[in-house]
Amino acid sequence: MAALILHDKRTIETYLRRNPALHVYELGDLDDFFWSRTIWYGLQEGDYIQALALLYTGGDLPVLLAMAPPPATALAALLAQAMPLLPPHFYAHLSPEARDALTSHYILEPHGPHLKMALTNPDRLAGIDTSAVERLTSAATDELQAFYARSYPGNWFDPRMLETGQYFGVRDADGALLSVAGVHVYSTEQRVAALGNITTLPSARSRGLATMATAALCRSLLRTVDLIGLNVRADNTAAIACYRRLGFGVVAEYEEHLLHYRGY
């Protein structure tokens, strides 16, 4: 089997649709909004894709998404062949087998075990009061960047995503943002969305504000998508409890790492 760079969206989508809940981010990145910032590596036998990995180049640091159900031996074989094509530094979401395939050439800095969750029981959204939640627009870009610097330093926020109209916030009586929920990926063409940038100011936590904002976001998304997913640290018990209240369930475990090429 040969490792190839793939360019055909239909071929890539056919592979991803075998396990859409595991590949919400990748499916969303097939959208034209993201496509120009993607590089797709595939391990192909005849016309059949055995494994696939995505390198997303839209941020300051490239991000590799390389996940498959265990045992991910084909994915490990793909990465072993694709390593000469990968950048010297990148962030990665990895199945354990994918991680092991990279250790010969990269130093891995662990960023902890994570969970992939998907909205499996949307009926739970109906019981949450979202009357205090407002939809945010591109006019709030500067305000949001300042908010994330205070509440969620180091997070990845792409201001372009405000153009989707899928960011929601809760404000205090003076109009200052207290809690925000948004998306990392949104595609009406693929009918998928990945939640992201969900946080509350430390002084306003434990009041259910993130639950309210995320419920409003999910209700809005369900008008145009069929699958909503998210990633969360496995030790973030408060966030996981929030997502479970909203109807999310765990679909996979994976790891996040920062990688540096050995000797670079």
Side-chain angles (χ1 to χ4, degrees):
M1 292 183 288
L4 306 170
I5 294 180
L6 305 177
H7 302 282
D8 182 68
K9 285 188 181 183
R10 183 170 299 179
T11 299
I12 296 168
E13 182 184 356
T14 297
Y15 174 86
L16 298 175
R17 290 289 177 187
R18 297 179 204 165
N19 195 338
L22 181 64
H23 298 300
V24 171
Y25 276 80
E26 296 95 316
L27 283 165
D29 286 341
L30 292 175
D31 194 285
D32 288 344
F33 189 84
F34 305 101
W35 175 255
S36 64
R37 304 180 179 202
T38 62
I39 302 171
W40 302 84
Y41 306 100
L43 191 69
Q44 190 166 348
E45 185 174 21
D47 294 330
Y48 189 77
I49 301 298
Q50 298 281 356
L52 185 141
L54 162 64
L55 186 69
Y56 183 74
T57 63
D60 295 334
L61 186 68
V63 179
L64 179 72
L65 305 183
M67 283 168 286
T73 52
L75 180 59
L78 167 62
L79 292 179
Q81 292 190 45
M83 266 192 288
L85 305 176
L86 297 177
H89 306 287
F90 59 92
Y91 198 79
H93 299 187
L94 303 171
S95 295
E97 295 88 348
R99 171 204 64 206
D100 293 343
L102 294 167
T103 55
S104 62
H105 287 72
Y106 285 89
I107 298 170
L108 277 68
E109 178 184 315
H111 281 239
H114 284 66
L115 303 176
K116 282 191 165 293
M117 303 183 76
L119 184 60
T120 55
N121 189 1
D123 291 343
R124 292 189 182 179
L125 299 171
I128 299 170
D129 180 10
T130 60
S131 58
V133 183
E134 70 173 68
R135 191 185 300 268
L136 303 175
T137 69
S138 297
T141 298
D142 292 343
E143 182 183 20
L144 268 176
Q145 289 177 324
F147 171 80
Y148 285 129
R150 294 175 59 200
S151 181
Y152 198 177
N155 80 308
W156 181 75
F157 170 57
D158 182 352
R160 295 191 315 150
M161 296 310 297
L162 281 169
E163 299 171 19
T164 66
Q166 303 296 345
Y167 268 72
F168 289 80
V170 180
R171 299 182 182 275
D172 64 16
D174 296 322
L177 281 172
L178 297 175
S179 186
V180 172
V183 289
H184 280 159
V185 168
Y186 173 61
S187 172
T188 57
E189 177 184 339
Q190 296 295 329
R191 298 192 64 83
V192 299
L195 306 190
N197 294 311
I198 300 172
T199 189
T200 301
L201 284 179
S203 59
R205 289 173 184 168
S206 302
R207 292 163 49 185
L209 302 182
T211 300
M212 294 163 51
T214 306
L217 169 61
C218 289
R219 289 178 188 172
S220 174
L221 290 170
L222 286 172
R223 299 188 186 110
T224 53
V225 309
D226 303 317
L227 176 61
I228 301 175
L230 60 88
N231 298 337
V232 60
R233 281 186 63 98
D235 61 0
N236 192 344
T237 55
I240 293 168
C242 167
Y243 299 139
R244 289 192 183 278
R245 285 195 298 272
L246 292 166
F248 285 81
V250 175
V251 296
E253 300 177 2
Y254 75 98
E255 301 173 0
E256 295 192 6
H257 296 267
L258 181 63
L259 287 85
H260 310 278
Y261 192 76
R262 292 182 184 276
Y264 181 77

